[in-house]
Amino acid sequence: MARYAYVNGRYVDHREARVHVEDRGYQLSDGVYEVVGVRDGKLIDEALHLDRLGRSLGELRITWPVSRPTLGFIIRELMRRNRLRDGLVYMQVTRGVARRDHAFPTRPVKPALVLTTKNGKRAEADPGPGVAVKSQPDIRWQRCDIKTVALLPNVLAKQAARENGAFEAWMVDKHGNVTEGASTNAWIVTKAGELVTRATDQAILAGITRHTLKALATDLQLKLVERPFSLTEAKAAKEAFITSATSFVTPVTKIDGQPVGDGKVGSTARRLREEYVRFAAAGEAIT
Ligand code: PMP
């Protein structure tokens, strides 16, 4: 367990870290968050994560709680205090503390800022045996491009997956297309060798790992197509995998209990994971 958390201007004992009961994040899910992966003490794609945080804040008309350079400083100070080498930094901004009312507070309130860190296993280039996913209806709202703390449909989908022995849920829209995972973006490799992931719109989160992997895939001269794919197409695909700041590139070897391809980790997912781990270890920035 990390020793410190950052709460509204103070580094506090993680066990004692508290927010007010009238915090609008707690009461109304009126807030946004970011998760930045850390490998070998280096933040992965920090700039892109902070860009996305700025966008999420802007969409909800919440102001930055501190300046962006100050946030960069707080992130590093918390990592230093918690001796974080591998894992993640979590940051959350809510509209602040105000007497409960759905509408925005009429008097100006200071947005609330909380940061925590989590130690994890050092991500290896070897993907391991792959994971299973379970399909679930996508019952979320129509602004999934905003990274809000309102995650109940994702929580229920992930729980349903776990109860079925799967690691991740793949959410399926009313057209039968896979939108994304409960906390990951979804990809397939078709039998024709095309790398397919859904284009970003308001139905999915524009994953930062997804963004960087697109650049890495292009460097490898893979044929990348951004288009919707159906659950049926995914089940007939050669390979499938998921991406996120914490899972990197993780092969999917089973969908709803059926093996994907030959049921083993595919060569494309393996290669892309290697490239992504190399990128993360180098701590370089692709923009
Ligand atoms: N989709 C959803 C719904 C997510 O919660 C996440 C994780 N933040 C992702 C995709 C992957 O995004 P990223 O690569 O930025 O972690």
Side-chain angles (χ1 to χ4, degrees), residues 42-43 278-285:
K42 286 189 288 253
L43 291 156
R278 203 191 316 269
F279 161 81
E284 60 200 44

Side-chain angles (χ1 to χ4, degrees), residues 33-35 49 52 140 144 147 151 154 171 180-185 204-211 243-246:
Y33 74 106
E34 270 302 323
V35 175
H49 282 281
R52 187 172 66 187
R140 298 174 302 162
C144 295
K147 197 163 171 59
L151 289 171
N154 309 54
M171 294 186 283
E180 60 183 334
S183 61
T184 56
N185 287 115
I204 66 166
L205 184 76
I208 305 301
T209 319
R210 174 190 180 283
H211 174 87
T243 56
S244 74
T246 48

Side-chain angles (χ1 to χ4, degrees), residues 28 50 61 79 107 229 265:
L28 302 158
L50 295 188
R61 293 192 277 151
M79 286 170 65
R107 272 184 294 164
F229 60 86
V265 169

Side-chain angles (χ1 to χ4, degrees), residues 131-136 160-170 231 234-236 240 252-264:
V131 297
V133 301
K134 170 156 185 13
S135 62
Q136 285 289 296
R162 294 287 160 87
E163 284 172 9
N164 280 273
F167 174 75
E168 177 60 305
W170 268 12
L231 185 62
K235 286 178 178 170
V252 170
T253 48
K254 246 187 209 176
I255 303 174
D256 291 340
Q258 295 174 30
V260 180
D262 62 6
K264 300 205 180 76

